[in-house]
Short mmCIF file of all heavy atoms in Angstrom, two decimals:
data_model
loop_
_atom_site.label_atom_id
_atom_site.label_comp_id
_atom_site.label_asym_id
_atom_site.label_seq_id
_atom_site.Cartn_x
_atom_site.Cartn_y
_atom_site.Cartn_z
N ALA A 23 12.67 11.43 -3.02
CA ALA A 23 13.40 12.69 -3.00
C ALA A 23 13.64 13.20 -1.58
O ALA A 23 14.69 13.76 -1.28
CB ALA A 23 12.65 13.75 -3.81
N SER A 77 -2.32 1.56 0.92
CA SER A 77 -3.49 0.84 0.43
C SER A 77 -3.20 -0.64 0.13
O SER A 77 -2.92 -1.42 1.04
CB SER A 77 -4.06 1.58 -0.79
OG SER A 77 -5.34 1.12 -1.12
N PHE A 164 -3.39 -4.77 -12.00
CA PHE A 164 -4.41 -4.08 -11.23
C PHE A 164 -5.39 -5.07 -10.62
O PHE A 164 -5.69 -5.03 -9.42
CB PHE A 164 -5.14 -3.09 -12.14
CG PHE A 164 -6.27 -2.35 -11.47
CD1 PHE A 164 -6.01 -1.25 -10.68
CD2 PHE A 164 -7.58 -2.74 -11.66
CE1 PHE A 164 -7.06 -0.55 -10.08
CE2 PHE A 164 -8.64 -2.05 -11.07
CZ PHE A 164 -8.37 -0.95 -10.28
N ALA A 177 -7.13 -10.99 8.21
CA ALA A 177 -8.05 -10.15 8.97
C ALA A 177 -7.32 -9.62 10.21
O ALA A 177 -6.32 -10.19 10.64
CB ALA A 177 -9.28 -10.96 9.36
N ASN A 186 4.16 -7.48 15.89
CA ASN A 186 4.72 -7.31 17.23
C ASN A 186 5.95 -6.42 17.20
O ASN A 186 6.99 -6.73 17.78
CB ASN A 186 5.04 -8.67 17.85
CG ASN A 186 5.96 -9.50 16.98
OD1 ASN A 186 6.26 -9.13 15.84
ND2 ASN A 186 6.41 -10.63 17.49
N ALA A 206 -8.17 1.46 9.48
CA ALA A 206 -7.10 1.74 10.43
C ALA A 206 -7.59 1.77 11.87
O ALA A 206 -6.92 1.26 12.77
CB ALA A 206 -6.42 3.06 10.07
#
Side-chain angles (χ1 to χ4, degrees):
S77 193
F164 178 81
N186 56 352

